[in-house]
Amino acid sequence: DQQVKQNSPSLSVQEGRISILNCDYTNSMFDYFLWYKKYPAEGPTFLISISSIKDKNEDGRFTVFLNKSAKHLSLHIVPSQPGDSAVYFCAASGDKIIFGKGTRLHILP
Amino acid sequence: NAGVMQNPRHLVRRRGQEARLRCSPMKGHSHVYWYRQLPEEGLKFMVYLQKENIIDESGMPKERFSAEFPKEGPSILRIQQVVRGDSAAYFCASSPQHKGPYEQYFGPGTRLTVT
């Protein structure tokens, strides 16, 4: 049973537009949420996080929103750039960090 | 200021051989985690270790897989008698703490191919 779900395996967005990646979770005990970015043949790199006591965290072009009642979080990237093309993993932390299966983002020129 | 180091980056083994994957955590990090990524899958937690202790091995297959993090030296993930289904990317991560908000920092991974 997947505790962290990323239901879109892939997403294509025009350069300059907003990219929105979604993530749902089932365990209400998760208290910290993270997004990682992964390029081919490299390890995941930490991107941005949010504590369960907040509903928004912003870092430059990246904003993470958390809706605890819906057990849903999203990552917004605006404006999208070619270098943003990668696989994005959502993760949730309780006694361990649980990762989703990832969403492959393609930024179109 | 080296990050998490993993070696080898690529490892080819024949069925039945042993695979040894090494991970050196970031300086100052005492918590090490191993993950496996199968093709088209996410990162699956395998094991969490501190120095000389296995804290959580709930994601490790019951047979053939073992992990250690000795007092000196890197953490080792050992796979005995490898089978084709073991072919995957294995990632190691480390963190300075395990409680409260924390991020894990990943190494570049070891790609294991079993022929």
Side-chain angles (χ1 to χ4, degrees):
Chain A
D1 62 333
Q2 276 183 271
Q3 296 189 61
V4 178
K5 296 179 185 177
Q6 292 177 258
N7 291 319
S8 298
S10 65
L11 175 68
S12 295
V13 174
Q14 207 75 34
E15 183 179 354
R17 299 284 184 102
I18 183 170
S19 295
I20 300 177
L21 296 100
N22 293 304
C23 178
D24 297 295
Y25 62 95
T26 57
N27 188 343
S28 57
M29 298 301 290
F30 289 139
D31 56 5
Y32 191 60
F33 303 88
L34 311 95
W35 285 93
Y36 282 80
K37 176 179 179 179
K38 185 181 180 304
Y39 292 120
E42 293 184 13
T45 54
F46 170 72
L47 197 56
I48 192 170
S49 61
I50 188 166
S51 167
S52 60
I53 62 172
K54 294 188 173 181
D55 55 17
K56 178 182 174 181
N57 187 27
E58 192 171 350
D59 183 2
R61 295 186 299 114
F62 302 91
T63 303
V64 55
F65 294 93
L66 176 62
N67 182 334
K68 280 202 306 182
S69 61
K71 295 193 179 71
H72 177 85
L73 66 155
S74 59
L75 174 68
H76 293 213
I77 307 172
V78 55
S80 300
Q81 298 175 354
D84 296 331
S85 294
V87 176
Y88 289 79
F89 290 101
C90 168
S93 173
D95 61 344
K96 60 169 75 77
I97 293 183
I98 307 292
F99 286 83
K101 289 192 173 185
T103 296
R104 187 177 301 276
L105 177 64
H106 300 271
I107 304 302
L108 306 169
Chain B
N1 188 17
V4 178
M5 311 279 282
Q6 287 188 251
N7 69 80
R9 293 292 309 274
H10 300 276
L11 182 61
V12 180
R13 284 287 177 266
R14 292 200 190 96
R15 278 180 297 169
Q17 290 185 318
E18 178 179 283
R20 282 192 172 214
L21 289 64
R22 293 175 189 78
C23 169
S24 296
M26 282 182 74
K27 190 175 182 180
H29 288 194
S30 58
H31 304 266
V32 167
Y33 311 81
W34 285 93
Y35 293 84
R36 176 165 63 175
Q37 185 182 23
L38 294 166
E40 306 304 320
E41 293 285 325
L43 295 160
K44 296 283 192 185
F45 168 79
M46 298 182 76
V47 62
Y48 158 44
L49 310 104
Q50 294 181 32
K51 285 281 187 183
E52 299 184 280
N53 284 303
I54 297 174
I55 308 301
D56 181 349
E57 56 182 348
S58 57
M60 287 274 273
K62 293 285 184 277
E63 297 175 349
R64 302 187 297 108
F65 285 72
S66 62
E68 62 177 11
F69 188 16
K71 190 175 179 182
E72 302 289 337
S75 175
I76 307 283
L77 178 69
R78 183 186 295 117
I79 311 172
Q80 296 177 303
Q81 298 175 313
V82 295
V83 300
R84 288 226 171 98
D86 297 332
S87 294
Y90 291 83
F91 293 97
C92 167
S94 72
S95 68
Q97 64 190 59
H98 186 70
K99 294 254 184 241
Y102 70 99
E103 295 88 44
Q104 294 179 2
Y105 297 86
F106 283 81
T110 294
R111 272 142 194 88
L112 172 66
T113 302
V114 179
T115 60

